Amino acid sequence: MSVTIESAESKPRCSWSQAPDFHAYHDNEWGFPVRDDFRLFEKLCLESFQSGLSWRLILAKRENFRAAFHHFDFNKIAAFTEEDVNRLLKDEGIVRHRGKIEAVINNAKCAQALVEKEGSLATFIWRFEPAHDQRQKPQTASTSPESVALSKALKKMGWKFVGPTTVFAFMQAMGLINDHAEECAVRAEVERSREAFQRP
């Protein structure tokens, strides 16, 4: 997976982004570091919805998910009731999976508790950024020691649908690692962004 493809504008990109509807996400989001709690929570939730499905499907429905879940404001989601679960199960714009919907509500409550303890989700999550000399070659793994550790830590606090593979995909997307292919034109941009990023 560590190969690149040439796009119509002769820009080498990671091979997984060859579909045009992936270009903006790949070029402007994937791998750039994030410290905003709601964006971090959103990505964890969307990665859990993606389990067993394609990210392309989830990305196409992302705005629908945002509307359905109050832009992933976990303080609002934590107050959801069974009535909200039933409403979401009827929403054709999202993935209607009861277990995953209920996991988002559960995880919102866990996020509130974590923020109360740590100050922010970002403060906790960025502790699991791997050391530079421990990073794997780009796009050669689906888990890492750090994703396993973060997964275990979240599960211990009651989070659901946060297995090591889901967490690794989250870490790739949120910039805890730079997993763009070495030949990818965006890799250097991400690395500069990571160097300038103020860790929480």
Side-chain angles (χ1 to χ4, degrees), residues 35-52:
R35 60 182 296 158
D36 178 86
D37 277 6
F38 292 157
R39 283 192 61 199
L40 292 169
F41 184 72
E42 172 187 280
K43 186 59 176 173
L44 273 172
C45 294
L46 292 181
E47 287 294 345
S48 72
F49 272 108
Q50 188 265 328
S51 180

Side-chain angles (χ1 to χ4, degrees), residues 5 9 19 21 33 78 89 103 111 119 122 127 129-130 134 145 157 163 168 199:
I5 53 146
E9 64 269 30
D21 50 349
L89 286 169
R127 291 179 190 154
E129 178 186 13
Q134 295 177 342
M157 291 183 284
F168 186 76
R199 271 69 175 168

Side-chain angles (χ1 to χ4, degrees), residues 43-55 57-58 95 97 100 161-163 165-166 169:
K43 186 59 176 173
L44 273 172
C45 294
L46 292 181
E47 287 294 345
S48 72
F49 272 108
Q50 188 265 328
S51 180
L53 302 170
S54 73
W55 176 245
L57 172 67
I58 302 302
V95 174
H97 184 290
K100 293 177 181 180
F161 281 92
V162 286
T165 301
T166 294

Side-chain angles (χ1 to χ4, degrees), residues 4-188:
T4 56
I5 53 146
E6 289 287 335
S7 62
E9 64 269 30
S10 298
K11 179 177 183 176
R13 290 185 172 96
C14 298
S15 59
W16 61 261
S17 69
Q18 57 185 307
D21 50 349
F22 274 149
H23 288 179
Y25 176 71
H26 171 273
D27 293 359
N28 305 316
E29 293 187 54
W30 196 74
F32 287 91
V34 174
R35 60 182 296 158
D36 178 86
D37 277 6
F38 292 157
R39 283 192 61 199
L40 292 169
F41 184 72
E42 172 187 280
K43 186 59 176 173
L44 273 172
C45 294
L46 292 181
E47 287 294 345
S48 72
F49 272 108
Q50 188 265 328
S51 180
L53 302 170
S54 73
W55 176 245
R56 189 173 190 174
L57 172 67
I58 302 302
L59 188 61
K61 292 176 175 287
R62 184 166 63 169
E63 290 305 319
N64 297 332
F65 276 107
R66 286 172 172 169
F69 287 99
H70 298 297
H71 290 269
F72 291 92
D73 180 338
F74 46 79
N75 295 309
K76 294 180 180 178
I77 297 170
F80 277 15
T81 64
E82 185 64 24
E83 184 178 336
D84 292 293
V85 173
N86 291 330
R87 168 180 59 82
L88 293 166
L89 286 169
K90 297 174 184 176
D91 189 339
E92 296 181 357
I94 66 170
V95 174
R96 294 175 290 174
H97 184 290
R98 176 177 286 275
K100 293 177 181 180
I101 290 170
E102 291 178 342
V104 171
I105 300 169
N106 171 81
N107 293 349
K109 296 172 183 176
C110 293
Q112 285 184 316
L114 185 54
V115 169
E116 184 174 349
K117 179 181 178 182
E118 302 288 346
S120 70
L121 290 185
T123 298
F124 178 77
I125 287 169
W126 275 91
R127 291 179 190 154
F128 293 85
E129 178 186 13
H132 191 274
D133 60 355
Q134 295 177 342
R135 294 174 193 163
Q136 300 152 306
K137 187 174 180 181
Q139 298 178 39
T140 59
S142 59
T143 64
S144 68
E146 294 79 15
S147 78
V148 171
L150 178 53
S151 172
K152 286 182 178 178
L154 291 172
K155 287 180 179 179
K156 188 175 181 179
M157 291 183 284
W159 292 64
K160 298 179 180 178
F161 281 92
V162 286
T165 301
T166 294
V167 170
F168 186 76
F170 163 81
M171 295 173 81
Q172 287 175 302
M174 298 288 96
L176 279 85
I177 56 174
N178 183 357
D179 222 26
H180 281 273
E182 292 176 355
E183 303 84 5
C184 176
V186 181
R187 181 176 177 82

